[in-house]
Amino acid sequence: LEPDGGCESEAARRIRLVVPLATFPVGCAAEAYGAYVALTETLKDKNALALTGSHHWVKVGLLGMVLLINGLLGPTMAYPALLKKGMPVLRGKSGEKRTKRD
């Protein structure tokens, strides 16, 4: 990187803001699918449904939370924030409203 914050740091900033627009939905969907598969396999296990195996219910609860977060909160809260930062870069207006938080 150039010491004066020149071209290379601007390129790195652009990459940092644009790449998650593609990778976040893919990762979110893959994680949700993995949690769904693990949840259905856990629920198919007849021994896991017994009240004596309370750790299985903890697993079911945690996998359900992963599905909730990736299926509901990710697309409605996290991705719009990524779009808000990344879309100006894609439109070529990245230098206009640069704040300290970016």
Side-chain angles (χ1 to χ4, degrees):
L1 298 175
E2 295 179 12
D4 62 352
C7 182
E8 288 183 4
S9 63
E10 183 63 26
R13 181 181 171 276
R14 288 175 184 259
I15 290 169
R16 182 178 58 85
L17 292 174
V18 172
V19 169
L21 297 179
T23 59
F24 180 81
V26 172
C28 189
E31 189 174 326
Y33 177 72
Y36 172 76
V37 169
L39 180 62
T40 56
E41 290 299 316
T42 300
L43 291 176
K44 283 180 186 177
D45 184 10
K46 299 297 181 196
N47 295 329
L49 298 177
L51 292 176
T52 57
S54 62
H55 67 282
H56 290 289
W57 289 109
V58 171
K59 181 179 177 182
V60 167
L62 292 173
L63 289 169
M65 288 188 340
V66 169
L67 285 171
L68 176 72
I69 290 169
N70 285 345
L72 183 63
L73 298 180
T76 60
M77 295 179 74
Y79 197 66
L82 291 173
L83 283 174
K84 185 178 178 182
K85 287 186 171 188
M87 286 308 289
V89 174
L90 288 176
R91 292 182 181 152
K93 301 176 184 178
S94 64
E96 292 177 6
K97 288 188 175 181
R98 191 169 178 186
T99 64
K100 285 186 178 182
R101 297 181 84 186
D102 288 347

